[in-house]
Amino acid sequence: MRVLMVEDDHFHASYLQDALSEALPEVTEIFHAEDGEKGQDEALQGRISAVVMDLQMGHRNGIEAARSIWAQRPETRILFWSNYADEAYQRGIADIVPEDSAYGYVLKTASRENLKLALRAVLVEGQIMVDREILRLQRSNAGPRNRLDDSEFNVLLDLALGLQDRLIAERRNMSLRTVQNRLLSLYDKLGVDLSVEDQIPFNKRVRALNRAMVTRTINVATLEAAQREFEEWMRGR
Amino acid sequence: MRVLMVEDDHFHASYLQDALSEALPEVTEIFHAEDGEKGQDEALQGRISAVVMDLQMGHRNGIEAARSIWAQRPETRILFWSNYADEAYQRGIADIVPEDSAYGYVLKTASRENLKLALRAVLVEGQIMVDREILRLQRSNAGPRNRLDDSEFNVLLDLALGLQDRLIAERRNMSLRTVQNRLLSLYDKLGVDLSVEDQIPFNKRVRALNRAMVTRTINVATLEAAQREFEEWMRGR
DNA sequence: ACATGTCTTGCGGGAACCCGCAACAAGTCT
DNA sequence: AGACTTGTTGCGGGTTCCCGCAAGACATGT
């Protein structure tokens, strides 16, 4: 069994390597790439069936690399291994994981035992495994019914890029008024108004982006990805 | 000489400990705190004269901890040791470093030799030392004359919180029109307009926040800090 | 079939925003 | 001192945004 580690932090990489060889005796070779770009090349070139992938890396982040890998070899098993439990990452992963693919998501703060367990479950057994911490955090943000559905999330991305209502409507094939309705529910779910008890008049659009970032609903990587998608859409218009 | 490491990542901490004892034989004791809160307590309680401080930590980040430490003991020498070269951090540090204090800023990607050099220069010699990489990045963003002055930066923070022009004017003691002038130059310097060649109509406010985040002029920690300051200002109004 | 709930869409108006124009103050250069 | 740059402020108007209201579309339940 050939396993690829994609991890730009040197210390984490060597720790991971130790854990890998301890937990999975069936591993015959361990490869190491230090950014997303090299990682995806290596995974597609070499006959790699299992990958452990860091999420935040300089050149190309883990989600983008994973998408490319899965696009060509959806049977690849990928364990994401990350510092943070941002909803943005969890949502990004959910967007790209193919039907029936094995994957997992573990935090770097997890215990060694936990990591080894996840390595075995995902890379060897082909299970799906998401760290409890991540699910917990995800729910705590999503209090009563605060979870954004896909349609709202898309509008949030467009808003975050700075698009105007008119353009969002065109891009998402909605009427102007519908876009504004989505924005209203966004403002509601992100808690735009209920900040300070006094009724401070906020600029709702900016405040929405602020809240989305602070609650880790989206992050900078999300913004950059959304920008690229938007530019592509603009070309074919 | 008593040195305190404030670092929540276990691997980085042990690497740092090694580098410390290699580079500084005059160190008699090394303490270790794993978040900003504990770090600042320890620095103020124990007779600590030198600190190595991580920037992004869970409970209280490095800048806040450093501010508290310097507020009581400005002679403390602090070397910041961080993953990223965000302008937001560099600016945050510049805001809090007292007159004549020794400090430094090194990236975790720096070589071991470089780290040891910085440890010696800052903690022992009391020099000021900033990683070349950080200065380089700072300039590349600041192309022709893109650097924000303090006044513009403050308005950016208020904008980022979602405040309206009127409130910003009140808070910063400017007329409404002056605030709008600041915003104009902000839009200019952040490159709000020159995105895609076509003249896409953007919502400038949101776009400004987007650009500020993507260029690492501000980050989420900045937003959270600004929010706290704003709430405090609101109370005494 | 009828009621009820959710979603979409148009209309319209008040508020906020963007920004050109111009007057004025303060500091700089020659 | 006089010319010039830079920053502040008011005014006014065009645009965008926020959102209440109400009418229609569709689904679900009784």
Side-chain angles (χ1 to χ4, degrees):
Chain A
M1 184 176 180
R2 299 151 62 85
V3 174
L4 170 66
M5 309 186 303
V6 187
E7 168 62 70
D8 64 348
D9 183 305
H10 199 268
F11 313 120
H12 291 163
S14 71
Y15 172 79
L16 177 59
Q17 179 154 21
D18 287 353
L20 260 171
S21 38
E22 268 181 50
L24 308 185
E26 48 270 87
V27 169
T28 57
E29 282 180 281
I30 298 180
F31 301 87
H32 177 207
E34 51 196 9
D35 68 42
E37 178 117 18
K38 290 175 190 156
Q40 94 186 38
D41 291 349
E42 189 117 5
L44 293 173
Q45 238 106 87
R47 301 182 319 285
I48 303 287
S49 60
V51 180
V52 183
M53 178 85 73
D54 190 15
L55 281 183
Q56 35 233 314
M57 291 174 294
H59 209 75
R60 183 164 166 78
N61 75 33
I63 290 183
E64 293 169 329
R67 178 167 44 204
S68 304
I69 294 172
W70 271 332
Q72 295 196 36
R73 316 168 108 247
E75 74 283 5
T76 311
R77 296 168 176 181
I78 304 184
L79 178 64
F80 297 96
W81 193 50
S82 165
N83 278 105
Y84 303 106
D86 288 15
E87 184 190 337
Y89 287 129
Q90 170 263 320
R91 191 185 282 269
I93 292 173
D95 282 350
I96 62 166
V97 53
E99 282 300 320
D100 303 326
S101 284
Y103 76 98
Y105 189 170
V106 187
L107 291 177
K108 286 188 178 174
T109 53
S111 71
R112 195 178 182 92
E113 280 318 304
N114 232 312
L115 172 61
K116 285 159 72 173
L117 191 67
L119 286 170
R120 173 151 291 279
V122 175
L123 304 189
V124 177
E125 306 295 337
Q127 299 294 319
I128 290 175
M129 188 167 180
V130 176
D131 200 308
R132 270 222 156 68
E133 274 304 298
I134 292 164
L135 296 175
R136 200 187 52 72
L137 197 83
Q138 170 183 335
R139 286 193 224 298
S140 72
N141 278 345
R145 179 81 19 229
N146 283 12
R147 181 147 194 80
L148 306 185
D149 63 35
D150 288 347
S151 155
E152 287 162 341
F153 189 75
N154 283 333
V155 172
L156 171 60
L157 291 184
D158 288 346
L159 177 149
L161 288 179
L163 307 191
Q164 306 188 163
D165 294 359
R166 199 188 321 283
L167 240 190
I168 302 179
E170 179 184 343
R171 184 175 184 197
R172 306 293 180 190
N173 288 315
M174 299 189 256
S175 82
L176 228 186
R177 193 62 182 81
T178 301
V179 171
Q180 294 171 336
N181 279 339
R182 291 287 144 77
L183 289 174
L184 284 187
S185 62
L186 260 185
Y187 298 155
D188 183 33
K189 292 188 180 177
L190 290 172
V192 163
D193 279 322
L194 52 77
S195 50
V196 193
E197 51 190 277
D198 312 7
Q199 282 307 46
I200 305 164
F202 276 117
N203 179 310
K204 311 226 168 176
R205 290 193 151 230
V206 177
R207 187 70 183 167
L209 176 50
N210 179 311
R211 300 289 308 151
M213 307 265 346
V214 170
T215 59
R216 271 73 172 175
T217 304
I218 61 178
N219 56 29
V220 175
T222 317
L223 294 183
E224 291 167 332
Q227 175 73 29
R228 280 191 296 278
E229 279 180 30
F230 169 67
E231 284 171 7
E232 187 162 348
W233 175 81
M234 278 297 288
R235 270 192 290 279
R237 184 173 81 122
Chain B
M1 183 176 181
R2 298 152 62 86
V3 175
L4 169 66
M5 308 185 303
V6 187
E7 167 63 68
D8 63 348
D9 183 304
H10 198 268
F11 315 118
H12 291 162
S14 69
Y15 172 79
L16 177 59
Q17 179 154 19
D18 287 354
L20 261 171
S21 38
E22 268 180 50
L24 308 185
E26 49 270 87
V27 169
T28 57
E29 281 179 281
I30 297 180
F31 301 87
H32 178 206
E34 51 196 10
D35 68 43
E37 179 118 19
K38 290 176 190 155
Q40 96 186 37
D41 291 349
E42 188 117 5
L44 294 173
Q45 237 106 87
R47 303 182 319 285
I48 302 288
S49 60
V51 180
V52 183
M53 177 85 73
D54 190 14
L55 282 182
Q56 34 234 316
M57 289 174 294
H59 209 75
R60 185 164 163 78
N61 75 35
I63 290 182
E64 293 168 329
R67 177 167 47 204
S68 304
I69 294 171
W70 270 333
Q72 294 196 38
R73 318 168 106 244
E75 75 283 4
T76 310
R77 297 169 176 180
I78 305 184
L79 178 64
F80 297 96
W81 193 51
S82 164
N83 277 106
Y84 302 107
D86 287 16
E87 182 189 338
Y89 286 128
Q90 171 264 321
R91 190 184 284 269
I93 291 173
D95 282 351
I96 61 166
V97 53
E99 281 301 317
D100 302 326
S101 282
Y103 76 98
Y105 188 171
V106 187
L107 291 178
K108 285 187 178 174
T109 53
S111 71
R112 194 178 183 94
E113 281 318 304
N114 231 312
L115 171 61
K116 285 159 73 174
L117 191 68
L119 286 170
R120 173 151 290 279
V122 174
L123 303 190
V124 177
E125 307 295 336
Q127 300 294 320
I128 291 175
M129 188 166 179
V130 176
D131 200 307
R132 271 224 156 69
E133 275 303 299
I134 291 163
L135 295 176
R136 199 186 52 72
L137 197 83
Q138 170 182 335
R139 285 193 225 298
S140 72
N141 278 345
R145 179 81 20 232
N146 282 13
R147 184 149 191 78
L148 305 185
D149 63 34
D150 287 348
S151 155
E152 286 161 340
F153 190 75
N154 283 335
V155 173
L156 171 60
L157 290 184
D158 288 347
L159 177 148
L161 288 179
L163 306 191
Q164 308 188 162
D165 295 358
R166 200 189 320 284
L167 241 191
I168 302 178
E170 179 184 343
R171 185 175 184 196
R172 305 294 180 191
N173 287 317
M174 301 188 254
S175 81
L176 227 186
R177 193 61 182 82
T178 301
V179 171
Q180 295 172 336
N181 280 338
R182 290 288 144 78
L183 289 174
L184 285 187
S185 61
L186 260 185
Y187 298 156
D188 184 33
K189 291 186 180 177
L190 290 172
V192 164
D193 278 323
L194 52 78
S195 51
V196 191
E197 52 189 274
D198 311 8
Q199 283 305 49
I200 304 165
F202 275 117
N203 179 310
K204 311 227 168 175
R205 289 191 153 231
V206 177
R207 187 70 184 168
L209 176 50
N210 178 310
R211 299 289 308 152
M213 307 265 343
V214 170
T215 60
R216 270 73 172 176
T217 304
I218 61 178
N219 57 29
V220 175
T222 317
L223 294 182
E224 290 168 333
Q227 174 74 28
R228 280 192 295 277
E229 279 179 32
F230 169 67
E231 283 171 7
E232 188 161 349
W233 174 80
M234 276 298 287
R235 271 191 291 279
R237 181 174 82 124

